[in-house]
Amino acid sequence: MQEPGSREHLAASRSRRAGNRRSRRGIRRILVTGALGQIGSELVPALREHYGAERVLASDLRIMPLHRSAEGAYEHLDCTQPQQILEVIRRHDIGTVYHLAALLSAVAEEKPHAAWSINMGGLYNVLEAARQYRCQVFFPSSIGAFGPSTPRERTPQVTIQRPTTMYGVTKVAGELLCDYYAGRFGVDTRGLRLPGLISHVAPPGGGTTDYAVEMFYQALRYKHYTCFLGSDTRLDMMYMPDAIGAMIGLMEADAARLRYRNAYNVTAMSITAAELAAEIRKHIPTFAIDYQVDPVRQSIADSWPRSLDDGAAREDWGFSPRFDLAGMTADMLARLSEKVRAPKGS
Ligand code: NAD
Ligand code: AKB
């Protein structure tokens, strides 16, 4: 069997997809919102490679940096503006939306009103446009959709979801809204409860799990990192190539096999900051870590699962991540060391 997200799997599914996503005018395009962020910076190139550059439209509230303007079609799009979404979907004949635009957990806790407006308002606008234009929608939920009353070990697919952060409130409400649009209007909604994502292309956007990415940059630059979470805080993590493979794999999965239209638990590793530091030390023996706990982000982390049960994703659409802690760390350091240099004399 081909591994979901692998090149073979993606190639085999390409021809299948070509047949079933056509409008009267031809093959409908894919829109990515929030495309300049941590995920979008890798999802957009992956989608362009997979489906063809002309089929993928990137968009964000931010202005596309000049040096990236040759990468492909781009629209400035504010997801809180319903008319802008409708207009872009109509004008570009969009059939699929990967809706990434959102504020992450730490920023959302600083700006709860803006987080509600962007995370909930944006999703509502996208789902409404998808209902009118019959689009498929991908929604990235999060481990943040769980709260302190959720079982924290091997958190089940279906369980208590009473988050205590604004980010979590928007994620669990977003999951329910996706369920509603699927059941009530037949919109093809699909989602993942993503863990913290570790990547080397774009920096993370203000989340609680950002420390994991920061640790790699600081290890290469200064051989030292001061972590804002405690050493034994255990959270789920995943390397970006597995997350991208999971998103595309889920969106291409046979609809008849999907039991959940809100979001699937997915994970690749359950690790503490100390365990990540120890793995980095295998490559950089002089790397040192200390801890200066940020009470806001620590309390967010303490309300999240320590490990997820991703059995439903494995059963329903063959989710199977390739990178564990050792594989991810080796690859991150190899790729990052090409772009991050230690300061002279260190
Ligand atoms: P990010 O913060 O790096 O990027 C988000 C992008 O959204 C930014 O480029 C920002 O400019 C854009 N944006 C903000 N407001 C907007 C608006 N009104 N209209 C259009 N664009 C707007 O976030 P990310 O890490 O790429 O995450 C993308 C999605 O995945 C989010 O919904 C996030 O909650 C979810 N998620 C991310 C992680 C992770 O570890 N990165 C984990 C779980 C879930
Ligand atoms: C965050 O920390 O906010 C994100 C997430 C796990 O949703 N990385």
Side-chain angles (χ1 to χ4, degrees):
M1 193 182 128
Q2 290 147 346
E3 247 180 63
S6 68
R7 274 180 191 279
E8 299 73 32
H9 169 84
L10 296 177
S13 58
R14 198 173 291 149
S15 53
R16 188 160 30 92
R17 290 278 295 178
N20 61 17
R21 296 235 137 253
R22 288 173 201 281
S23 71
R24 268 179 294 166
R25 285 193 281 155
I27 296 172
R28 298 173 77 196
R29 296 197 179 89
I30 298 165
L31 170 68
V32 180
T33 71
L36 297 181
Q38 188 192 7
I39 297 180
S41 297
E42 297 195 49
L43 178 64
V44 168
L47 290 171
R48 286 184 172 145
E49 193 190 327
H50 188 40
Y51 298 106
E54 67 294 343
R55 275 198 62 199
V56 181
L57 174 67
S59 72
D60 202 289
L61 185 61
R62 289 188 267 166
I63 306 294
M64 166 71 101
L66 206 56
H67 69 275
R68 293 184 54 186
S69 56
E71 287 172 15
Y74 179 82
E75 285 274 355
H76 179 260
L77 174 60
D78 180 350
C79 291
T80 64
Q81 302 302 315
Q83 285 310 324
Q84 288 187 19
I85 298 176
L86 286 166
E87 166 62 11
V88 163
I89 288 184
R90 185 193 61 72
R91 195 154 37 85
H92 291 274
D93 194 20
I94 299 295
T96 299
V97 183
Y98 284 80
H99 177 51
L100 304 182
L103 298 189
L104 271 75
S105 57
V107 178
E109 234 17 58
E110 265 170 39
K111 304 177 191 169
H113 304 102
W116 178 262
S117 157
I118 295 166
N119 296 15
M120 280 322 296
L123 177 63
Y124 175 77
N125 294 337
V126 164
L127 287 171
E128 256 309 290
R131 177 182 71 77
Q132 292 175 44
Y133 284 91
R134 309 304 303 164
C135 301
Q136 192 189 29
V137 176
F138 173 77
F139 170 62
S141 187
S142 160
I143 51 173
F146 299 110
S149 51
T150 303
R152 294 191 71 203
E153 306 289 346
R154 290 197 56 74
T155 301
Q157 171 66 33
V158 180
T159 184
I160 300 163
Q161 286 183 269
R162 298 204 63 187
T164 47
T165 61
M166 178 51 91
Y167 181 67
V169 168
T170 65
K171 289 301 182 190
V172 79
E175 289 188 16
L176 292 172
L177 203 57
C178 287
D179 246 353
Y180 180 77
Y181 269 75
R184 176 77 169 78
F185 301 120
V187 177
D188 185 358
T189 60
R190 303 176 183 212
L192 296 175
R193 290 185 188 129
L194 293 166
L197 299 182
I198 299 175
S199 69
H200 53 82
V201 174
T208 304
T209 58
D210 293 13
Y211 80 85
V213 180
E214 288 174 7
M215 199 186 297
F216 282 97
Y217 280 86
Q218 300 298 82
L220 284 165
R221 277 198 188 115
Y222 307 113
K223 298 188 172 49
H224 177 262
Y225 178 59
T226 300
C227 186
F228 59 75
L229 293 186
S231 63
D232 58 353
T233 307
R234 183 171 294 284
L235 291 169
D236 285 286
M237 298 279 172
M238 189 184 289
Y239 196 28
M240 191 62 86
D242 280 331
I244 302 294
M247 288 177 220
I248 298 176
L250 173 63
M251 291 298 270
E252 295 197 336
D254 178 357
R257 296 199 55 185
L258 300 181
R259 283 175 290 167
Y260 303 102
R261 290 315 188 123
N262 53 336
Y264 279 89
N265 284 3
V266 284
T267 185
M269 59 197 92
S270 158
I271 57 170
T272 65
E275 286 166 359
L276 179 56
E279 194 60 39
I280 291 176
R281 217 171 282 119
K282 290 180 186 167
H283 302 262
I284 307 174
T286 54
F287 172 58
I289 184 165
D290 57 22
Y291 299 89
Q292 217 167 11
V293 168
D294 167 18
V296 175
R297 285 180 286 189
Q298 185 66 52
S299 77
I300 295 175
D302 289 342
S303 76
W304 288 357
R306 289 160 61 85
S307 66
L308 292 187
D309 175 356
D310 60 8
R314 290 174 185 268
E315 266 173 50
D316 288 8
W317 48 277
F319 169 67
S320 171
R322 287 179 295 145
F323 289 90
D324 60 8
L325 174 60
M328 176 274 294
T329 303
D331 201 64
M332 269 294 280
L333 288 172
R335 286 169 190 273
L336 260 189
S337 56
E338 289 165 14
K339 70 175 193 183
V340 176
R341 293 262 167 273
K344 282 202 176 100
S346 71

